[in-house]
Amino acid sequence: MDKNLFSDRVGRISPSATLEMTSKAADLKRLNKPVYNMSVGEPDFPTPENIQKAGIFAIQNGITKYTPGSGTHELKKAIQDKLIRDNSLNYDINQIVVSCGGKHSLYNACQVLFQQDDEVIIFSPYWVSFPDFISVTGAKPIVVKTNQNQQYEPDFEDLKNKITSKTKGLIINSPSNPTGGVWGEDAVLKTLNICKHYNLWVFSDECYEQLTYSSPFRSIASLTANNNKIITFQSCSKTYAMTGWRIGYLAGDKHLVKAVGKLQGQSTSCPNSIAQHAAIEALIGNQSSIKKMRAIFQKRRDLIIQLINKIPNINCDIPNGAFYVFVDFNNYLKSKTALGEQIQTSNDLCLHLLSETGVVSVSGESFGAPGYIRFSYATSDETINKAMILLKNTLGKLIF
Ligand code: PLP
C-alpha cells in the first residue's frame, strides 16, 4: 500500500495492545479452545439494575434525541453533586464536560492543549493510550521512572531531570492501570509542587477512584488550593460496570472546558443521550453496588497475590487499587521452551502462555515495562485459580 496514503497523524499511533489480546482470546474461544481471560480491562459484573432501568426509561420516554454537545445540564449537575459528595471538589457547571468515556475526555483535552514542540510527562509503567494521546497531537511523550516497591510512585530525581522548557503537562493515573499502584498523599503533593513550580498542566486520570483497598481515595485536585491547572478525569465505566455505555467526564478550568466542548461539538457531537440519562442514576442514585463490587475485587486481589507468591522467582508487591497485578518475570527471560523456542521477552512469554494454556494476559512492553506481564483479576475466582496453576506449570517447564 502507498505509504503516503494516510496522514502522518495516524502513523504516530499504534493499535491498543489490550484490545489486541482481547481479540486473540475471542479467536481461541471461536475455535472452542479453553480460554482463561486475564487481560480484561473491565468489571465482569452486569451494570447495576437501577442504572439499567434508567436506560430503559430513557429509551421509552423519548430521551433519544441530540443533547448539548458537552452533555446535558442534568448530568452535569449530577457530576457536580458527585464531585462534592465523593471527592470534596467544587466545580461550576461550566467547568464540566461529558464525553463518550474517560478516554474521550483525555483524548480531547490532549488535543486542545498540546501540539508540536510540546513535551508531556507520563510515568512508566503507563496506560497504553497515554503515549498515543500525546503523539497524535504532534507533542512528545516523556517517560519518567517510578518505584516498583512503593506503589509505583515517581522517581523524583528522574522527574526533575526530565522537565525542560518544552514541558507543558504531566499525566497522573492513580490508582494505576497497569500496576494497580496507588500513590500516597506525600508523593502526590511533591509532584504537584513540582508542577506548580514549572507551571505545568496536571491531568489526573481517576477512572479507578472507587477501587482502592487500603485507604479511601482522595482526588488529587482536592489536595491543594492551587488547583486551577489540574484537570480531573473520571468515568462511569469501571465504577458502575458501564464500560459499554461510554460515559466519562472531565472537570477543570472553564476556558479549557469551553475549548473541549467546541472540539467535541465538531467531532462526536453529544455523548449518547440514553447513556447520559442512565449516568445520572449511576452518579446520584443508590451507590451500594460500588461497595459490593469493591469487596469482591479486594478478595480476588488477595487471592491472586497469594497464588503468585507461591510461584518461584517472580516478583509482585501488593497493589492497593484497580483490578490488575503487574508481575516481574525478568528471571524467566532468556529461557527456552521444551520445544527449544527462545523466551527473550515478556511478550514471548505471554504468547507462549497463551498458546500452551489459553491464559490471556498482556505483556509489559506496551506499558513501557519490558519483562513484566499484566494480569487482570476482573474475573471469577475459578478463572484466577486455574490461570495461576497453569502459569506455575508453564514456568516450571521452561529450561535454563
Ligand atoms: N484511563 C485508564 C487508566 C484506563 O485504564 C481506562 C480504561 O481502560 C480509561 C482511562 C478509559 O476508560 P473509559 O473510556 O471506558 O472511561
Side-chain angles (χ1 to χ4, degrees):
M1 193 182 297
D2 176 5
K3 77 176 177 33
N4 295 322
L5 184 61
F6 299 116
S7 67
D8 291 349
R9 191 177 313 115
V10 78
R12 287 197 291 264
I13 56 177
S14 35
S16 159
T18 36
L19 295 181
E20 220 161 80
M21 280 313 267
T22 311
S23 100
K24 279 205 165 95
D27 291 347
L28 282 179
K29 224 174 191 159
R30 253 194 312 280
L31 295 170
N32 272 332
K33 299 222 163 130
V35 172
Y36 306 94
N37 197 347
M38 307 289 290
S39 76
V40 278
E42 61 185 346
D44 52 325
F45 308 110
T47 304
E49 213 172 310
N50 60 318
I51 305 171
Q52 292 180 23
K53 282 191 179 143
I56 294 166
F57 178 90
I59 293 172
Q60 293 179 335
N61 288 274
I63 307 177
T64 48
K65 313 276 194 231
Y66 291 132
T67 77
S70 64
T72 63
H73 182 83
E74 292 75 17
L75 177 51
K76 288 183 190 173
K77 181 81 188 69
I79 292 168
Q80 185 181 42
D81 292 349
K82 183 268 174 218
L83 288 170
I84 295 169
R85 182 194 66 212
D86 292 351
N87 308 106
S88 310
L89 286 173
N90 283 289
Y91 285 109
D92 286 337
I93 294 288
N94 66 359
Q95 291 185 283
I96 295 168
V97 183
V98 185
S99 311
C100 310
K103 192 174 201 172
H104 190 210
S105 291
L106 285 155
Y107 180 90
N108 284 345
C110 287
Q111 287 291 323
V112 305
L113 277 176
F114 308 134
Q115 60 193 358
Q116 185 117 35
D117 294 333
D118 291 336
E119 292 178 352
V120 183
I121 287 175
I122 55 176
F123 297 91
S124 153
Y126 44 73
W127 180 39
V128 287
S129 297
F130 290 147
D132 294 290
F133 287 159
I134 298 162
S135 358
V136 77
T137 69
K140 196 168 163 203
I142 303 292
V143 179
V144 165
K145 291 185 230 151
T146 57
N147 295 320
Q148 178 186 335
N149 303 326
Q150 238 174 302
Q151 296 291 312
Y152 293 89
E153 288 178 352
D155 173 333
F156 286 101
E157 263 322 293
D158 196 36
L159 174 58
K160 284 184 196 147
N161 289 338
K162 298 263 170 78
I163 295 176
T164 70
S165 57
K166 293 181 173 179
T167 313
K168 188 154 183 201
L170 166 153
I171 305 181
I172 300 174
N173 172 220
S174 166
S176 148
N177 176 4
T179 66
V182 182
W183 292 6
E185 245 168 79
D186 287 351
V188 173
L189 286 172
K190 205 164 163 184
T191 310
L192 293 182
N193 276 337
I194 295 170
C195 292
K196 186 167 179 295
H197 181 79
Y198 292 98
N199 197 24
L200 308 183
W201 283 95
V202 178
F203 283 32
S204 180
D205 177 355
E206 302 180 355
C207 80
Y208 297 94
E209 50 141 2
Q210 297 293 341
L211 295 176
T212 59
Y213 309 118
S214 50
S215 51
F217 176 75
R218 289 196 62 195
S219 191
I220 285 177
S222 72
L223 297 177
T224 168
N226 282 310
N227 63 6
N228 55 341
K229 288 195 86 174
I230 302 178
I231 314 168
T232 303
F233 297 84
Q234 295 185 354
S235 168
C236 289
S237 289
K238 323 281 177 175
T239 304
Y240 302 103
M242 286 178 74
T243 44
W245 296 73
R246 309 307 303 130
I247 296 291
Y249 50 91
L250 65 80
D253 175 77
K254 71 172 185 215
H255 303 290
L256 170 103
V257 159
K258 201 166 169 197
V260 169
K262 187 166 72 165
L263 178 70
Q264 202 167 287
Q266 291 293 29
S267 50
T268 48
S269 292
C270 64
N272 177 299
S273 63
I274 300 153
Q276 285 194 68
H277 186 74
I280 298 174
E281 173 63 22
L283 293 167
I284 57 173
N286 188 330
Q287 301 292 300
S288 59
S289 57
I290 299 181
K291 216 171 149 188
K292 283 187 207 141
M293 289 193 259
R294 187 196 296 126
I296 295 172
F297 281 133
Q298 182 162 0
K299 270 201 181 141
R300 291 174 179 173
R301 181 208 53 177
D302 295 344
L303 171 67
I304 197 166
I305 287 291
Q306 183 206 332
L307 295 170
I308 280 174
N309 283 338
K310 288 189 184 148
I311 304 177
N313 300 320
I314 59 176
N315 251 320
C316 183
D317 280 3
I318 299 177
N320 283 340
F323 40 65
Y324 307 104
V325 289
F326 201 59
V327 186
D328 183 350
F329 283 95
N330 275 296
N331 289 333
Y332 284 91
L333 304 186
K334 313 259 181 297
S335 60
K336 272 190 188 160
T337 69
L339 293 175
E341 293 152 342
Q342 289 278 354
I343 302 286
Q344 301 279 15
T345 63
S346 48
N347 197 38
D348 294 344
L349 187 55
C350 248
L351 291 172
H352 177 62
L353 186 64
L354 179 67
S355 66
E356 285 289 294
T357 66
V359 172
V360 193
S361 55
V362 187
S363 73
E365 280 88 345
S366 44
F367 305 107
Y372 290 71
I373 295 180
R374 187 193 80 174
F375 296 93
S376 157
Y377 55 86
T379 184
S380 66
D381 286 6
E382 197 189 339
T383 301
I384 296 171
N385 271 308
K386 185 83 194 170
M388 291 302 114
I389 290 171
L390 290 168
L391 171 66
K392 190 174 179 201
N393 292 344
T394 308
L395 294 174
K397 286 186 204 148
L398 292 177
I399 302 157
F400 289 88

